[in-house]
Amino acid sequence: MIPAIQSHGSKNNFIIIDEKDIPFQTSDLLRESWTKILCEDTQTDGILFISDSLSAQAKMRVFNSDGSEASMCGNGLRCAARYIAERDQLDSFQVETMKAHLRVEQVDELYGDIPTYSVEISPILFNLDSLPLRLEEKSELVLEPVPEWEKDCLFTALAVPNPHIITNVPVDLINSDHQEKLASSFNHNNQWFSDGVNVSYVVELDEGEFFVRTFERGVGFTNACGTAMSSSSLVQVLAGKWEPGVPINIFNDGGRVKCVIHKQNDHYDHIDLIGNATFTHHMKLKLTDTGEAYLQSITETGEDHLYEKMAEASRDYLKKKAPALNIR
Ligand SMILES: N[C@H](CCC[C@H](N)C(=O)O)C(=O)O
């Protein structure tokens, strides 16, 4: 029997598995097949595998529901941070991820008694090779048109370090099937993205308030994508719509978060992603004799009711600010 936790950051759902509970040396093949089976069973966006690290408090690896591994996951890192904080009785520490050691800490609640964590999103890379994106002779794409994608939009490409394409759009475009068609084309055989990409459409609600919807590589539409909301916040600063150092309110289909863009000298250094880390269920996984894992039992923690109040309040606010926006 292996214990696991069903968790979410802004309703971006992840199963947390601590590899010290796995009674054998696991492999990437197994992580991939566990992810596909368990995410299908529980309609979850991915699995966070927690393991020991020689250079940080712990290590987090994130696998999308299609079994692909990503270099980073912002909403997932908040959930992993809470798990590690409670397991090791710490408030702030570093977590090793595929390409960076990232600072995490528990912070004042964003809403009620909902456990709230701030996680570091970095590095911030604009060179198109870091996604990768092949686009004519360009080495960067910052607030520029790409007519083949959409004639009236300005696009920004960045990696944090997972890959993102961000564009600000009118409500009628985000309500249409345009994003799904464009993002699906970027995540199948195409001339631009050889490793896929996360695609976010942003609607400006008010000064310092934005709505972000993301079609995630390896998953599809999710209620929220932490690295995408962080990247979208940075794009608003690049567009002169907001300032570094000041929290920006990002709403999503699953609730809301705050982001803070940090600029050192002339360089965007990192982004703070601040939001909930909710544990909704305790799970028990059963192992087959071939080492596969399947869900044996799942019991509610009761935490989600409080989060639902915040999500409801966020939806009401969205209806007021953007009445034409179709919330998913
Ligand atoms: N689908 C993403 C990984 C998960 C990121 C997202 N869930 C987040 O919260 O940042 C990718 O393949 O790059």
Side-chain angles (χ1 to χ4, degrees):
M1 194 75 58
I2 296 180
I5 294 171
Q6 175 87 16
S7 65
H8 72 74
S10 298
K11 291 284 186 183
N12 189 198
N13 299 299
F14 297 98
I15 296 170
I16 301 173
I17 295 178
D18 192 332
E19 297 201 355
K20 68 172 173 38
D21 295 321
I22 302 176
F24 49 75
Q25 184 64 36
T26 188
S27 67
D28 285 355
L29 215 57
L30 218 59
R31 290 185 186 94
E32 182 183 331
S33 72
W34 284 22
T35 302
K36 285 181 188 168
I37 295 168
L38 290 169
C39 288
E40 176 67 33
D41 268 2
T42 57
Q43 289 306 295
T44 309
D45 300 327
I47 294 190
L48 308 171
F49 289 94
I50 309 297
S51 56
D52 290 341
S53 164
L54 295 174
S55 49
Q57 186 61 30
K59 182 175 181 181
M60 176 192 83
R61 293 178 68 176
V62 50
F63 283 71
N64 290 312
S65 56
D66 72 348
S68 63
E69 183 174 11
S71 56
M72 183 41 194
C73 177
N75 289 328
L77 184 56
R78 298 202 310 272
C79 298
R82 175 181 170 189
Y83 171 77
I84 299 157
E86 293 179 355
R87 183 192 72 178
D88 301 348
Q89 296 298 300
L90 294 165
D91 291 331
S92 67
F93 46 90
Q94 278 198 324
V95 176
E96 178 186 349
T97 61
M98 188 188 284
K99 296 186 178 171
H101 285 55
L102 302 173
R103 280 186 310 281
V104 301
E105 64 174 324
Q106 183 164 18
V107 293
D108 293 343
E109 284 78 15
L110 202 57
Y111 184 98
D113 289 337
I114 297 173
T116 305
Y117 282 76
S118 174
V119 299
E120 176 190 355
I121 306 291
S122 80
I124 300 170
L125 308 166
F126 289 101
N127 186 303
L128 297 191
D129 289 345
S130 57
L131 277 80
L133 163 56
R134 199 173 56 240
L135 194 59
E136 301 130 22
E137 286 70 51
K138 284 188 179 305
S139 62
E140 286 195 356
L141 179 70
V142 177
L143 296 170
E144 292 184 59
V146 184
E148 310 101 289
W149 295 354
E150 166 50 49
K151 59 186 176 15
D152 299 326
C153 289
L154 299 180
F155 291 92
T156 301
L158 67 162
V160 289
N162 60 336
H164 291 274
I165 288 292
I166 314 285
T167 184
N168 284 38
V169 296
V171 171
D172 65 325
L173 196 63
I174 202 169
N175 283 344
S176 75
D177 62 357
H178 187 276
Q179 181 177 11
E180 181 162 17
K181 284 186 177 152
L182 189 69
S184 300
S185 71
F186 288 169
N187 286 286
H188 292 88
N189 288 340
N190 69 94
Q191 65 194 77
W192 299 292
F193 298 93
S194 58
D195 193 26
V197 67
N198 301 286
V199 180
S200 297
Y201 282 19
V202 183
V203 170
E204 187 167 356
L205 300 170
D206 202 335
E207 202 188 0
E209 294 182 342
F210 298 85
F211 174 84
V212 178
R213 178 170 291 153
T214 306
F215 184 102
E216 286 199 40
R217 174 181 64 171
V219 190
F221 278 115
T222 56
N223 290 312
C225 174
T227 47
M229 294 188 284
S230 306
S231 303
S232 300
S233 302
L234 176 53
V235 170
Q236 307 319 310
V237 169
L238 296 172
K241 292 175 181 285
W242 201 243
E243 294 301 318
V246 183
I248 185 169
N249 290 299
I250 301 291
F251 290 81
N252 50 63
D253 287 302
R256 63 185 171 87
V257 296
K258 283 187 187 296
C259 293
V260 182
I261 308 300
H262 293 272
K263 195 175 179 183
Q264 311 285 353
N265 310 321
D266 222 11
H267 166 69
Y268 289 101
D269 178 70
H270 70 278
I271 302 162
D272 291 337
L273 170 66
I274 301 154
N276 78 298
T278 297
F279 291 175
T280 58
H281 298 82
H282 290 294
M283 307 164 89
K284 285 196 172 59
L285 308 179
K286 190 123 179 69
L287 284 176
T288 65
D289 44 22
T290 56
E292 284 303 340
Y294 64 88
L295 182 64
Q296 186 179 49
S297 70
I298 184 165
T299 47
E300 272 196 48
T301 63
E303 280 189 31
D304 219 20
H305 305 303
L306 181 56
Y307 184 83
E308 259 314 309
K309 283 201 192 114
M310 178 176 109
E312 189 62 35
S314 300
R315 280 192 291 272
D316 291 345
Y317 187 76
L318 280 175
K319 284 178 195 143
K320 222 166 50 193
K321 285 290 183 178
L325 175 68
N326 296 338
I327 304 167
R328 294 171 71 85

